[in-house]
Amino acid sequence: MKKTTTRLADGRELIYYDLRDDAVRGERDARPLDPVATAAEIRHDRLLGDSVAIASHRQARTYHPPADECPLCPSRHGRLSEIPAPDYDVAVFENRFPSLAGDSGRCEVVCFTSDHDASFADLTEEQAALVLEAWTDRTAELSQLPGVAQVFCFENRGAEIGVTLGHPHGQIYAYPFITPRTERMLSSLAAHHEATGRNLFDDTVADELADGRRIVLDGEHWVAFVPYAAHWPYEVHLYPKRRVPDLLALDDAARTEFPQIYLEVLRRFDRIFVGRDGGKEGEGTSRGPRTDGTSRTPYIAAWHQAPLRAEHRGDFALHLELFTIRRTSGKLKFLAGSESGMNVFINDVPPEAAAERLREVASE
């Protein structure tokens, strides 16, 4: 991997990650950009004890541009984008419309490929491994920024999720606080250790492997399963079998196997609904026809890493949670009264049935 760091016309950082060591990245951003002006701030909710990012400037962000005006495509044929190069492998840059900025953290955009019509599932294993290296490198860099408490790498895919740019990309948030979801995991981790003397994450993975009904893929270094109490209709958790706190701690063997396992899980996600209940999403392939991102299974993929300065940080287990809001062909799972009002999820698809379906589609 070759890493090249440069600056965009408004001063934001841009980093290229290339597969070839001889790649040269000398293109200048020729756009007449004004300096980025943000109004991001963090406000504390006294009743719930959590934090809310207020970012009114995001109202002006780019919204569903046509493909020939995509800001994440390379700069070609006289059209200038966020990425000055005419081609790239992986590119990361500071978000022009960040939810977190300054003392309130940092937000970055990760472009997985220069191919606008691709998806993460279309990447080769070599390309997916490069994205993993980019996630790891950015985690290391962002962890060094003053005030950052937690680094979160994630991907939103599909118009149903709320994605406004169709180009295959993800994001990285560097939070100035530990997120509520992680706080709950840490609390459960501590309670389990006090009650049993064992690690909650280790026991969770061991219990799923022993049960077997919810296992989707069982590799040498990674295991993918639908959790016992899955919140979402189709939800898969991906764990390295050797517990590590973050992406930086993965060993070479786990890094080598990750693209194989993850790409297979994503491709199965794109086949879940094909041919069921009259659905034709994806037409049997991850690169099936689409004009607005809806013909592929919409999903959120979220890396959970240990907070930087949490007590017993080494007891936390790095893992990825992948889930879709689609519950069947043409029908979405909405977060209505119970979920949104009281944070009590109601899942319409039994986890065992979801895992069975994800095993079935391996041969479709």
Side-chain angles (χ1 to χ4, degrees):
M1 178 194 78
K2 181 179 181 181
K3 176 184 175 183
T4 306
T5 301
T6 183
R7 292 281 173 178
L8 295 172
D10 55 11
R12 287 175 296 136
E13 191 173 26
L14 167 67
I15 309 104
Y16 294 101
Y17 295 90
D18 285 293
L19 291 168
R20 293 174 46 185
D21 290 337
D22 60 352
V24 177
R25 299 299 182 186
E27 296 86 359
R28 182 180 67 87
D29 183 7
R31 297 173 297 169
L33 297 181
D34 294 328
V36 174
T38 65
E41 63 173 306
I42 303 297
R43 295 188 181 181
H44 183 71
D45 186 316
R46 292 185 293 180
L47 291 181
L48 296 181
D50 60 9
S51 299
V52 177
I54 308 297
S56 59
H57 60 278
R58 284 174 54 80
Q59 288 280 41
R61 67 188 185 274
T62 308
Y63 186 80
H64 291 300
D68 61 356
E69 296 179 16
C70 175
L72 307 185
C73 286
S75 294
R76 295 173 180 167
H77 311 301
R79 192 187 72 81
L80 305 179
S81 74
E82 287 280 63
I83 303 168
D87 201 1
Y88 62 86
D89 292 331
V90 173
V92 179
F93 60 87
E94 289 183 74
N95 198 326
R96 185 165 175 79
F97 303 97
S99 302
L100 308 168
D103 294 338
S104 297
R106 174 159 157 153
C107 294
E108 298 184 342
V109 176
V110 183
C111 299
F112 303 140
T113 171
S114 59
D115 184 353
H116 180 85
D117 295 318
S119 176
F120 201 116
D122 299 319
L123 301 182
T124 65
E125 290 182 11
E126 186 180 35
Q127 289 174 307
L130 183 62
V131 176
L132 177 61
E133 288 302 310
W135 283 330
T136 304
D137 183 71
R138 297 316 302 153
T139 296
E141 292 286 335
L142 294 173
S143 296
Q144 299 303 312
L145 294 180
V148 171
Q150 185 173 4
V151 178
F152 176 48
C153 306
F154 64 100
E155 179 191 3
N156 299 327
R157 186 181 79 165
E160 299 100 322
I161 297 294
V163 174
T164 58
L165 296 175
H167 195 102
H169 73 288
Q171 300 180 65
I172 304 177
Y173 279 18
Y175 292 105
F177 52 82
I178 299 176
T179 63
R181 188 175 179 85
T182 303
E183 289 277 19
R184 293 184 68 177
M185 289 186 193
L186 292 172
S187 178
S188 297
L189 178 67
H192 184 82
H193 185 268
E194 183 176 354
T196 68
R198 299 191 302 272
N199 183 279
L200 175 60
F201 292 106
D202 293 348
D203 282 359
T204 297
V205 173
D207 289 347
E208 291 293 352
L209 285 167
D211 185 291
R213 290 176 297 165
R214 292 175 295 276
I215 298 295
V216 176
L217 288 172
D218 186 8
E220 183 178 355
H221 303 285
W222 294 84
V223 60
F225 58 86
V226 178
Y228 172 76
H231 288 56
W232 300 94
Y234 289 90
E235 176 180 342
V236 173
H237 292 191
L238 181 61
Y239 278 79
K241 289 186 175 179
R242 183 181 72 87
R243 172 167 47 87
V244 295
D246 54 28
L247 290 166
L248 281 71
L250 287 173
D251 60 23
D252 290 342
R255 291 183 182 280
T256 298
E257 188 180 68
F258 170 77
Q260 305 163 23
I261 299 291
Y262 187 47
L263 289 173
E264 178 59 24
V265 171
L266 291 180
R267 289 162 186 168
R268 292 189 189 192
F269 253 57
D270 276 331
R271 296 194 291 264
I272 295 173
F273 305 106
V274 175
R276 307 198 88 192
D277 303 325
K280 297 182 180 179
E281 292 87 344
E283 300 297 325
T285 70
S286 61
R287 290 185 72 103
R290 67 179 173 99
T291 57
D292 62 355
T294 59
S295 65
R296 296 169 177 160
T297 299
Y299 66 70
I300 293 173
W303 278 110
H304 292 268
Q305 304 192 77
L308 301 178
R309 286 166 286 279
E311 187 177 5
H312 307 303
R313 183 176 184 275
D315 295 329
F316 194 89
L318 167 76
H319 63 285
L320 183 143
E321 298 184 6
L322 173 72
F323 59 89
T324 180
I325 62 171
R326 187 177 292 172
R327 56 187 175 88
T328 190
S329 297
K331 298 179 181 179
L332 302 181
K333 166 64 178 176
F334 292 102
L335 300 189
S338 185
E339 292 88 356
S340 295
M342 297 303 285
N343 201 28
V344 177
F345 276 69
I346 301 169
N347 191 351
D348 305 297
V349 180
E352 293 75 18
E356 182 178 8
R357 177 58 183 161
L358 285 163
R359 291 192 297 266
E360 283 177 358
V361 296
S363 60
E364 292 184 0

